[in-house]
mmCIF file of all heavy atoms in Angstrom:
data_model
loop_
_atom_site.group_PDB
_atom_site.id
_atom_site.type_symbol
_atom_site.label_atom_id
_atom_site.label_comp_id
_atom_site.label_asym_id
_atom_site.label_seq_id
_atom_site.Cartn_x
_atom_site.Cartn_y
_atom_site.Cartn_z
ATOM 1 N N GLY H 139 154.638 190.039 151.702
ATOM 2 C CA GLY H 139 155.571 188.976 151.434
ATOM 3 C C GLY H 139 157.013 189.434 151.483
ATOM 4 O O GLY H 139 157.880 188.788 152.095
ATOM 5 N N VAL H 140 157.307 190.537 150.823
ATOM 6 C CA VAL H 140 158.685 191.050 150.788
ATOM 7 C C VAL H 140 159.141 191.484 152.174
ATOM 8 O O VAL H 140 160.279 191.206 152.606
ATOM 9 C CB VAL H 140 158.792 192.204 149.779
ATOM 10 C CG1 VAL H 140 160.153 192.903 149.905
ATOM 11 C CG2 VAL H 140 158.596 191.699 148.362
ATOM 12 N N LEU H 141 158.279 192.168 152.927
ATOM 13 C CA LEU H 141 158.652 192.623 154.265
ATOM 14 C C LEU H 141 158.957 191.435 155.193
ATOM 15 O O LEU H 141 159.947 191.483 155.964
ATOM 16 C CB LEU H 141 157.538 193.489 154.872
ATOM 17 C CG LEU H 141 157.379 194.891 154.270
ATOM 18 C CD1 LEU H 141 156.160 195.592 154.869
ATOM 19 C CD2 LEU H 141 158.636 195.701 154.509
ATOM 20 N N VAL H 142 158.143 190.406 155.126
ATOM 21 C CA VAL H 142 158.394 189.248 155.994
ATOM 22 C C VAL H 142 159.696 188.556 155.617
ATOM 23 O O VAL H 142 160.512 188.203 156.464
ATOM 24 C CB VAL H 142 157.222 188.269 155.933
ATOM 25 C CG1 VAL H 142 157.558 186.968 156.683
ATOM 26 C CG2 VAL H 142 155.962 188.894 156.512
ATOM 27 N N ARG H 143 159.939 188.391 154.326
ATOM 28 C CA ARG H 143 161.150 187.733 153.879
ATOM 29 C C ARG H 143 162.385 188.547 154.258
ATOM 30 O O ARG H 143 163.366 188.008 154.775
ATOM 31 C CB ARG H 143 161.092 187.515 152.371
ATOM 32 C CG ARG H 143 160.145 186.416 151.924
ATOM 33 C CD ARG H 143 160.098 186.297 150.418
ATOM 34 N NE ARG H 143 161.409 185.970 149.857
ATOM 35 C CZ ARG H 143 161.879 184.745 149.700
ATOM 36 N NH1 ARG H 143 161.126 183.713 150.062
ATOM 37 N NH2 ARG H 143 163.081 184.532 149.188
ATOM 38 N N GLU H 144 162.348 189.830 153.982
ATOM 39 C CA GLU H 144 163.504 190.664 154.321
ATOM 40 C C GLU H 144 163.696 190.797 155.825
ATOM 41 O O GLU H 144 164.828 190.867 156.320
ATOM 42 C CB GLU H 144 163.332 192.056 153.680
ATOM 43 C CG GLU H 144 163.363 192.027 152.163
ATOM 44 C CD GLU H 144 164.629 191.397 151.616
ATOM 45 O OE1 GLU H 144 165.726 191.730 152.144
ATOM 46 O OE2 GLU H 144 164.546 190.574 150.700
ATOM 47 N N GLY H 145 162.578 190.814 156.574
ATOM 48 C CA GLY H 145 162.693 190.857 158.019
ATOM 49 C C GLY H 145 163.353 189.608 158.564
ATOM 50 O O GLY H 145 164.177 189.669 159.504
ATOM 51 N N ALA H 146 162.991 188.454 157.998
ATOM 52 C CA ALA H 146 163.629 187.201 158.430
ATOM 53 C C ALA H 146 165.111 187.163 158.061
ATOM 54 O O ALA H 146 165.935 186.608 158.801
ATOM 55 C CB ALA H 146 162.918 186.007 157.798
ATOM 56 N N HIS H 147 165.447 187.802 156.958
ATOM 57 C CA HIS H 147 166.855 187.806 156.514
ATOM 58 C C HIS H 147 167.695 188.694 157.422
ATOM 59 O O HIS H 147 168.761 188.280 157.956
ATOM 60 C CB HIS H 147 166.924 188.307 155.072
ATOM 61 C CG HIS H 147 168.334 188.541 154.595
ATOM 62 N ND1 HIS H 147 169.226 187.505 154.352
ATOM 63 C CD2 HIS H 147 169.017 189.694 154.326
ATOM 64 C CE1 HIS H 147 170.369 187.986 153.944
ATOM 65 N NE2 HIS H 147 170.295 189.323 153.924
ATOM 66 N N PHE H 148 167.275 189.920 157.638
ATOM 67 C CA PHE H 148 168.063 190.865 158.440
ATOM 68 C C PHE H 148 167.908 190.633 159.928
ATOM 69 O O PHE H 148 168.676 191.193 160.715
ATOM 70 C CB PHE H 148 167.651 192.305 158.094
ATOM 71 C CG PHE H 148 168.096 192.732 156.727
ATOM 72 C CD1 PHE H 148 167.176 192.822 155.697
ATOM 73 C CD2 PHE H 148 169.417 193.043 156.471
ATOM 74 C CE1 PHE H 148 167.547 193.228 154.432
ATOM 75 C CE2 PHE H 148 169.813 193.452 155.193
ATOM 76 C CZ PHE H 148 168.877 193.534 154.155
ATOM 77 N N GLY H 149 166.942 189.818 160.316
ATOM 78 C CA GLY H 149 166.761 189.563 161.736
ATOM 79 C C GLY H 149 167.467 188.333 162.247
ATOM 80 O O GLY H 149 167.308 187.958 163.414
ATOM 81 N N GLN H 150 168.233 187.668 161.388
ATOM 82 C CA GLN H 150 168.976 186.502 161.839
ATOM 83 C C GLN H 150 169.973 186.852 162.940
ATOM 84 O O GLN H 150 170.712 187.820 162.821
ATOM 85 C CB GLN H 150 169.711 185.855 160.648
ATOM 86 C CG GLN H 150 168.797 185.247 159.610
ATOM 87 C CD GLN H 150 167.937 184.144 160.213
ATOM 88 O OE1 GLN H 150 168.410 183.160 160.775
ATOM 89 N NE2 GLN H 150 166.616 184.328 160.064
ATOM 90 N N GLY H 151 169.931 186.053 163.993
ATOM 91 C CA GLY H 151 170.763 186.332 165.153
ATOM 92 C C GLY H 151 170.004 187.044 166.241
ATOM 93 O O GLY H 151 170.416 187.037 167.399
ATOM 94 N N ARG H 152 168.926 187.709 165.883
ATOM 95 C CA ARG H 152 168.117 188.398 166.878
ATOM 96 C C ARG H 152 166.705 187.766 166.987
ATOM 97 O O ARG H 152 166.060 187.905 168.023
ATOM 98 C CB ARG H 152 167.971 189.870 166.496
ATOM 99 C CG ARG H 152 169.268 190.646 166.630
ATOM 100 C CD ARG H 152 169.092 192.093 166.242
ATOM 101 N NE ARG H 152 168.829 192.266 164.809
ATOM 102 C CZ ARG H 152 169.786 192.364 163.899
ATOM 103 N NH1 ARG H 152 171.057 192.286 164.246
ATOM 104 N NH2 ARG H 152 169.472 192.517 162.639
ATOM 105 N N LEU H 153 166.280 187.106 165.929
ATOM 106 C CA LEU H 153 164.957 186.424 165.959
ATOM 107 C C LEU H 153 165.120 185.037 166.519
ATOM 108 O O LEU H 153 166.229 184.481 166.585
ATOM 109 C CB LEU H 153 164.390 186.368 164.539
ATOM 110 C CG LEU H 153 164.045 187.715 163.904
ATOM 111 C CD1 LEU H 153 163.621 187.516 162.450
ATOM 112 C CD2 LEU H 153 162.916 188.403 164.657
ATOM 113 N N PRO H 154 164.022 184.397 166.948
ATOM 114 C CA PRO H 154 164.108 183.002 167.434
ATOM 115 C C PRO H 154 164.699 182.079 166.370
ATOM 116 O O PRO H 154 164.592 182.300 165.172
ATOM 117 C CB PRO H 154 162.638 182.634 167.725
ATOM 118 C CG PRO H 154 161.985 183.950 167.987
ATOM 119 C CD PRO H 154 162.664 184.951 167.083
ATOM 120 N N ALA H 155 165.341 181.019 166.829
ATOM 121 C CA ALA H 155 166.012 180.093 165.907
ATOM 122 C C ALA H 155 165.057 179.407 164.953
ATOM 123 O O ALA H 155 165.442 178.940 163.898
ATOM 124 C CB ALA H 155 166.789 179.054 166.728
ATOM 125 N N LEU H 156 163.783 179.314 165.355
ATOM 126 C CA LEU H 156 162.768 178.677 164.504
ATOM 127 C C LEU H 156 162.544 179.465 163.216
ATOM 128 O O LEU H 156 162.147 178.889 162.202
ATOM 129 C CB LEU H 156 161.461 178.541 165.292
ATOM 130 C CG LEU H 156 160.350 177.728 164.618
ATOM 131 C CD1 LEU H 156 160.796 176.281 164.445
ATOM 132 C CD2 LEU H 156 159.057 177.814 165.436
ATOM 133 N N ILE H 157 162.829 180.768 163.254
ATOM 134 C CA ILE H 157 162.649 181.599 162.069
ATOM 135 C C ILE H 157 163.945 181.619 161.306
ATOM 136 O O ILE H 157 164.930 182.227 161.719
ATOM 137 C CB ILE H 157 162.229 183.032 162.462
ATOM 138 C CG1 ILE H 157 160.922 182.999 163.244
ATOM 139 C CG2 ILE H 157 162.075 183.905 161.220
ATOM 140 C CD1 ILE H 157 160.462 184.351 163.741
#
Side-chain angles (χ1 to χ4, degrees):
V140 170
L141 287 175
V142 173
R143 287 177 60 88
E144 294 303 315
H147 172 71
F148 290 104
Q150 292 301 303
R152 292 180 292 273
L153 295 174
L156 188 63
I157 301 177

